[in-house]
């Protein structure tokens, strides 16, 4: 109802100027209409399909299914096709011997009886193709949109559909972990997760990377580039086969083992899912599957993304909903992922896809005709179904626009996501390091960026992700230390001023983001130890080199290099949060953001954070405001020698509060704040 939706937005409305509020009230019926459309979709699913549970299991009826008698049942949706045939290794690639039977609503079916020995007609790990005859006389060779495994020959450009039905499928042993109160995400790419210049494997990740993630204190992994993509350098964002785990890293069973082992460590695994667009590839993608310019997509121009050169789904189509919602269910059921990071949500939410559009935060930008209501309802439907079926499921939205109620329940008129990415934070850090001298840092602006989020909507804070690591940009470590990372990272020689500054700021930036920026934290693989190089996948422009498409974990294992010091700080930062739980606590109270001193002080979860960003000054007897009276001790100190610091603080010191109100808090205490360090104090 309008009243329910209004209740969900009251906290926001109190901050809105009257003229903007009037515009919002005028546009409110559009969001109410979206809620009504969601209820209509759910009703239709119940009437036509027996409910969303059955509907989202359509991967059990479409594509290829082995029946109890070892017959094989094939089913496809190709509404514009004149005829469909199946060909492959099983029939010597005869293009006409096995014809599909047309059914209602553009569906086609075929049954292959078992062989004489009662084994399936198509052997495991053999190739197949769908032959599509179009109404204008073309003969097209296609991969089933529901294909569970596709591979590419070494010298081939096109991927092949491989029938995957192993005699001994992997059985998951370990249950899914419970949803953590504090979410600490390790964003990772399996292919680059090795120091070697090659595509790394699922098995390598399971054996060599999972133990590091566990040691670092992360309780969630976000896996990129898993859904099959023909072009490796697309970073996994030009999907060709939505139900196939990328074969370049290994087999589906090896990915299942990776997830199962992660679960045994108490680590959740999220899939970076791309439902915002699809590759334009035709022979090994969804594009023009039935020979038409639409099928799964809108017809051009609406069905094309001009910036990404890709196709855009028609979310109003019943069969597209079946395909995409079943795709989410497939990854949850077959591979036992624990949730999703939805890519490109901004592109989905608006007809303009965010292209050439800035967002000021005015509510008229979010509740007008520019909002794509069909996409919005799809996201509401996806979140409603996922959270109904899997209460501990986690969904994260990549949205740069700031859409209100994105992370509120669909019953409130929201889109139902658990978290949104705080995308302004990494951009702010890169901007500061690019454009400002240390003495010119705007402390108030930094604090504003870190705390500027919608009340009641959880954010994932991060200092840098894969976007900042890509070629054309530089990681925080590289912006701070640049070429000296190649020559002056040895702990056997005194630190240069550049390395000293870089190491201290690298730690402080990460801890400040961790403590102040959100209700979850994310780190991209390798950034925890200040990976010295950017990320660039093999392509024509670099002579197909893998030199920059790898993560040099070997640097951490060399005790004489300072990379292990940054690694140790990241580990202890996460372990300290695990103990005190500030990510699960209400937003911080900032008691000091001093421009001249460059000092930031805030408290959260009975923990007091103190940062001194001044480039040249330490402060003796600096008064700090605190909320909880009692004794305080140092719990995390970035100036420890273990972390590449100078060891200037005595950790045996105990600090007792004084009944002297200060900066909005009833208690205070004076501290020594040394130059270029960050301190964390916890009440005892």
């Amino acid at each position: 109802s309008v009243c329910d939706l209004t209740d969900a937005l009251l906290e926001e409305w109190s901050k809105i100027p009257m003229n903007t509020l009037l515009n919002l009230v005028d546009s409110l019926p559009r969001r109410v209409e979206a809620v009504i459309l969601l209820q209509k979709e759910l009703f239709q699913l119940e009437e036509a399909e027996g409910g969303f549970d059955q509907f989202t299991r359509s991967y059990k009826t479409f594509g290829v299914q082995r029946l109890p008698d070892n017959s094989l049942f094939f089913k496809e949706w190709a509404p514009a096709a004149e005829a469909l045939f199946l060909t492959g290794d099983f029939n010597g690639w005869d293009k006409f011997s096995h014809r599909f039977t047309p059914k209602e609503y553009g569906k086609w079916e075929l049954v292959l009886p078992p062989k004489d020995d009662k084994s399936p007609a198509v052997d495991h790990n053999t190739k197949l193709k769908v032959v599509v005859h179009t109404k204008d006389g073309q003969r097209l060779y296609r991969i089933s949109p529901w294909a569970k495994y596709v591979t590419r020959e070494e010298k081939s450009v096109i991927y092949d559909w491989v029938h995957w039905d192993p005699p001994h499928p992997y059985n998951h042993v370990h249950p899914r972990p419970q949803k953590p109160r504090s979410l600490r995400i390790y964003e990772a790419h399996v292919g680059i997760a090795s120091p070697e210049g090659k595509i790394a494997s699922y098995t390598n990740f399971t054996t060599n990377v999972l133990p590091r993630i566990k040691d670092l204190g992360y309780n969630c992994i976000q896996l990129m580039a898993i859904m099959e993509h023909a072009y490796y350098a697309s970073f996994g964002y030009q999907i060709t086969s939505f139900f196939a785990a990328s074969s370049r890293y290994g087999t589906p069973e090896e990915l299942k083992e990776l997830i199962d082992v992660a679960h045994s460590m108490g680590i959740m695994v999220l899939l970076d899912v791309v439902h915002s667009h699809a590759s334009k590839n035709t022979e090994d993608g969804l594009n023009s599957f039935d020979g038409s310019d639409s099928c799964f997509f809108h017809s051009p121009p609406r069905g094309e993304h001009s910036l990404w050169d890709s196709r855009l789904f028609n979310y109003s189509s019943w069969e597209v909903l079946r395909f995409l919602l079943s795709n989410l269910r497939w990854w949850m059921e077959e591979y036992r992922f624990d949730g999703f990071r939805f890519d490109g949500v901004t592109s989905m939410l608006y007809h303009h896809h965010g292209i050439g559009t800035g967002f000021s935060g005015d509510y008229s930008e979010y509740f007008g005709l520019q909002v794509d209501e069909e996409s919005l309802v799809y996201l509401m439907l996806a979140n409603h179904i996922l959270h109904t079926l899997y209460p501990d499921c986690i969904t994260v939205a990549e949205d740069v626009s700031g859409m209100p109620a994105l992370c509120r329940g669909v019953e409130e008129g929201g889109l139902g996501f658990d978290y949104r990415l705080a995308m302004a934070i990494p951009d702010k850090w890169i901007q500061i390091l690019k454009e400002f001298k240390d003495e010119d840092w705007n402390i108030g602006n930094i604090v504003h960026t870190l705390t500027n989020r919608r009340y009641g909507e959880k954010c994932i804070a991060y200092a840098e992700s894969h976007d900042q690591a890509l070629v054309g940009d530089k990681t925080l470590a590289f912006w701070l230390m640049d070429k000296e990372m190649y020559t002056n990272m040895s702990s056997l020689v005194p630190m240069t001023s550049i390395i000293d500054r870089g190491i201290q700021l690298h730690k402080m930036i990460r801890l400040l983001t961790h403590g102040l920026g959100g209700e979850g934290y994310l780190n991209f693989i390798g950034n925890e130890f200040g990976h010295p190089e950017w990320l660039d996948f093999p392509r024509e422009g670099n002579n197909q080199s893998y030199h920059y498409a790898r993560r040099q974990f070997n640097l951490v294992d060399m005790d004489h290099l300072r990379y292990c010091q940054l690694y140790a700080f990241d580990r202890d930062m996460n372990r300290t949060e695990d103990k005190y739980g500030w990510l699960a606590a209400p937003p911080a109270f900032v008691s000091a953001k001093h421009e001249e001193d460059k000092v930031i002080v805030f408290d959260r979860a009975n923990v007091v954070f103190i940062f001194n960003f001044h480039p040249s000054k330490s402060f003796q007897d600096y008064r700090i405001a605190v909320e909880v009276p009692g004794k305080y001790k140092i719990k995390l100190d970035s100036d420890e020698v273990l972390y590449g610091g100078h060891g200037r603080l005595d950790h045996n010191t105990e600090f007792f509060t004084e009944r002297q109100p200060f900066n909005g808090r009833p208690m205070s205490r004076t501290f020594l704040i040394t130059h270029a360090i960050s301190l964390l104090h916890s009440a005892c």
Side-chain angles (χ1 to χ4, degrees):
S1 69
V2 176
C3 292
D4 291 337
L5 181 57
T6 302
D7 288 342
L9 295 174
L10 278 177
E11 288 288 345
E12 295 291 338
W13 284 17
S14 63
K15 310 169 189 175
I16 306 173
M18 182 55 68
N19 60 334
T20 307
L21 183 59
L22 292 173
N23 291 333
L24 173 59
V25 172
D26 288 341
S27 58
L28 187 58
R30 293 194 59 79
R31 179 56 66 89
V32 176
E33 181 182 351
V35 177
I36 294 171
L37 288 173
L38 171 66
Q39 295 298 328
K40 180 182 177 183
E41 293 280 7
L42 291 171
F43 176 77
Q44 289 178 335
L45 284 173
E46 192 69 38
E47 290 289 303
E49 303 281 347
F52 60 72
D53 185 26
Q54 188 70 23
F55 185 67
T56 58
R57 291 184 186 270
S58 293
Y59 56 81
K60 291 189 172 184
T61 53
F62 280 74
V64 55
Q65 310 295 328
R66 180 157 56 93
L67 302 180
D69 66 349
N70 277 345
S71 297
L72 293 178
F73 175 72
F74 293 81
K75 186 174 185 177
E76 301 293 346
W77 178 62
E82 182 71 20
L84 255 64
F85 295 86
L86 184 71
T87 187
D89 291 330
F90 78 100
N91 67 358
W93 294 95
D94 189 315
K95 296 182 283 291
F96 303 104
S97 60
H98 291 80
R99 182 172 186 145
F100 283 76
T101 301
K103 299 293 181 179
E104 286 184 308
Y105 310 115
K107 295 167 188 173
W108 303 80
E109 295 179 357
L110 168 67
V111 177
L112 296 184
K115 299 176 186 177
D116 292 339
D117 63 1
K118 304 302 181 182
S119 65
V122 180
D123 293 333
H124 166 62
N125 215 22
T126 59
K127 295 179 182 177
L128 293 167
K129 285 279 189 182
V130 175
V131 184
V132 179
H133 289 248
T134 67
K135 290 181 170 61
D136 58 4
Q138 294 184 76
R139 185 188 303 156
L140 308 173
Y141 295 88
R142 297 289 188 255
I143 290 176
S144 168
W146 303 81
K148 299 176 179 67
Y149 191 55
V150 297
T151 63
R152 180 174 62 86
E153 299 291 341
E154 186 176 352
K155 295 184 179 180
S156 175
V157 176
I158 304 299
Y159 273 72
D160 296 307
W161 174 19
V162 174
H163 178 55
W164 191 258
D165 188 17
H168 304 290
Y170 186 87
N171 291 316
H172 293 267
V173 177
H174 303 284
R176 287 190 174 103
Q178 290 185 336
K179 183 190 296 186
R181 292 180 66 247
S182 295
L183 191 63
R184 301 182 297 274
I185 302 175
Y186 193 87
E187 183 186 31
H189 185 292
V190 170
I192 68 171
S194 164
E196 300 178 65
K198 64 177 185 180
I199 298 177
S201 66
Y202 295 124
T203 301
N204 166 75
F205 197 93
T206 302
T207 305
N208 299 318
V209 184
L210 282 181
R212 294 182 186 272
I213 297 172
K214 175 65 175 177
D215 178 60
L216 282 163
Y218 291 95
N219 54 25
C220 183
I221 300 168
Q222 179 180 301
L223 283 182
M224 307 176 62
I226 295 297
M227 302 167 75
E228 191 60 271
H229 47 293
Y231 184 42
Y232 190 44
S234 77
F235 218 162
Y237 291 118
Q238 291 281 345
I239 306 300
T240 45
S241 291
F242 283 73
F243 285 82
S246 181
S247 60
R248 54 173 54 88
Y249 318 127
T251 68
E253 311 313 299
E254 289 165 342
L255 173 59
K256 292 174 186 177
E257 182 182 21
L258 185 163
I259 296 170
D260 200 24
V261 173
H263 287 170
S264 75
M265 298 177 175
I267 299 173
M268 302 185 80
V269 187
L270 306 183
L271 175 69
D272 198 346
V273 70
V274 186
H275 281 184
S276 49
H277 65 130
S279 167
K280 272 189 173 180
N281 286 18
T282 54
E283 289 189 59
D284 55 6
L286 285 183
N287 192 21
S288 190
F289 173 70
D290 63 356
S292 71
D293 65 356
S294 53
C295 195
F296 289 92
F297 312 107
H298 290 290
S299 296
R302 185 180 177 184
E304 293 182 331
H305 196 293
S306 60
L307 205 60
W308 295 343
D309 193 32
S310 55
R311 297 304 309 270
L312 298 173
F313 287 105
N314 178 4
Y315 302 103
S316 65
S317 164
W318 191 260
E319 293 305 319
V320 172
L321 287 179
R322 182 194 305 277
F323 182 79
L324 293 177
L325 292 172
S326 295
N327 187 233
L328 297 174
R329 195 79 189 275
W330 162 258
W331 292 109
M332 293 291 290
E333 291 287 337
E334 184 72 13
Y335 288 92
R336 295 185 65 80
F337 277 94
D338 301 290
F340 304 95
R341 179 264 200 185
F342 281 74
D343 175 71
V345 168
T346 303
S347 175
M348 297 175 71
L349 289 175
Y350 307 96
H351 290 293
H352 53 62
H353 308 301
I355 300 174
T357 304
F359 293 92
S360 66
D362 191 286
Y363 278 80
S364 63
E365 297 166 349
Y366 310 114
F367 296 95
L369 295 175
Q370 69 274 23
V371 175
D372 189 330
E373 206 166 66
E374 294 168 2
S375 301
L376 187 144
V377 172
Y378 165 69
L379 291 172
M380 295 173 74
L381 187 61
N383 275 306
H384 172 71
I385 291 172
L386 285 170
H387 289 101
T388 301
L389 294 172
Y390 312 98
D392 279 347
C393 172
I394 295 174
T395 59
V396 181
E398 187 214 26
D399 169 48
V400 73
S401 75
M403 168 67 78
L406 189 72
C407 299
R408 300 299 299 182
V410 296
E411 69 280 359
E412 299 177 341
L415 274 71
F417 286 98
D418 295 287
Y419 297 89
R420 68 196 314 155
L421 291 174
M423 301 181 70
I425 295 175
D427 292 341
K428 174 57 64 176
W429 286 125
I430 294 296
Q431 179 203 13
I432 289 170
L433 296 181
K434 278 183 179 181
E435 300 178 6
F436 296 98
K437 298 178 182 178
D438 292 356
E439 57 268 27
D440 295 331
W441 284 24
N442 187 322
I443 297 299
N445 184 251
I446 293 172
V447 170
H448 173 75
T449 302
L450 288 165
T451 57
N452 183 29
R453 52 188 184 271
R454 296 195 181 280
Y455 182 81
E457 298 193 46
K458 295 180 180 179
C459 287
I460 302 293
Y462 56 108
E464 50 186 338
S465 70
H466 65 268
D467 289 328
Q468 286 72 39
L470 289 170
V471 67
D473 206 337
K474 293 191 289 190
T475 62
L476 288 179
F478 226 44
W479 277 111
L480 288 164
M481 294 174 277
D482 208 73
K483 61 183 179 181
E484 287 208 18
M485 298 191 77
Y486 296 117
T487 57
N488 296 321
M489 285 294 280
S490 173
S491 59
L492 303 178
V493 298
M495 282 191 289
T496 65
S497 59
I498 289 177
I499 295 297
D500 191 3
R501 169 185 176 269
I503 285 180
Q504 312 318 326
L505 284 178
H506 193 270
K507 293 177 291 186
M508 295 175 69
I509 287 170
R510 305 180 89 70
L511 180 56
L512 181 59
T513 303
H514 204 303
L516 193 58
E519 289 70 37
Y521 179 76
L522 178 143
N523 167 73
F524 177 66
I525 179 172
N527 286 351
E528 70 275 8
F529 63 87
H531 200 280
E533 291 175 336
W534 55 88
L535 188 63
D536 187 18
F537 287 85
R539 52 188 174 85
E540 288 185 11
N542 63 15
N543 296 319
Q544 302 298 331
S545 171
Y546 286 90
H547 180 74
Y548 296 109
R550 60 196 178 108
R551 298 282 93 176
Q552 299 179 61
F553 290 112
N554 54 301
L555 297 174
V556 180
D557 299 329
M558 300 179 187
D559 293 341
H560 69 283
L561 295 181
R562 297 191 181 278
Y563 297 103
C564 65
Q565 297 171 342
L566 294 176
Y567 176 99
F569 181 78
D570 196 270
R571 176 197 64 208
D572 291 351
M573 175 175 68
N574 284 322
R575 290 181 179 180
T576 307
E577 195 287 326
D578 188 60
K579 181 177 181 180
Y580 296 105
W582 58 74
L583 288 172
F589 177 85
V590 181
S591 59
K593 43 184 176 179
H594 201 290
E595 294 296 342
E596 185 177 341
D597 296 343
K598 305 299 180 192
V599 168
I600 299 173
V601 182
F602 61 90
D603 56 85
R604 189 176 184 188
N606 291 334
V607 176
V608 179
F609 295 76
I610 307 170
F611 296 85
N612 174 19
F613 283 98
H614 200 286
S616 59
K617 287 184 181 180
S618 298
F619 300 96
Q620 187 75 31
D621 296 330
Y622 202 92
R623 185 161 294 278
I624 301 299
V626 294
E627 171 71 7
V628 179
K631 179 176 67 177
Y632 284 71
K633 293 192 69 174
I634 297 171
K635 296 297 180 179
L636 184 65
D637 170 14
S638 70
D639 197 41
E640 277 197 73
V641 175
L642 170 66
Y643 309 138
H646 301 284
R648 292 170 287 193
L649 291 176
D650 181 1
H651 285 216
N652 293 318
T653 304
E654 296 178 341
F655 304 90
F656 294 88
T657 58
E658 302 168 358
R659 289 190 176 278
Q660 181 175 338
F662 186 70
N663 284 357
R665 286 305 199 205
M667 301 288 171
S668 62
R669 174 68 210 191
T670 57
F671 295 97
L672 166 65
I673 307 181
T674 57
H675 165 51
I677 68 165
S678 57
L679 299 178
L680 175 65
H681 295 60
S682 177
C684 299

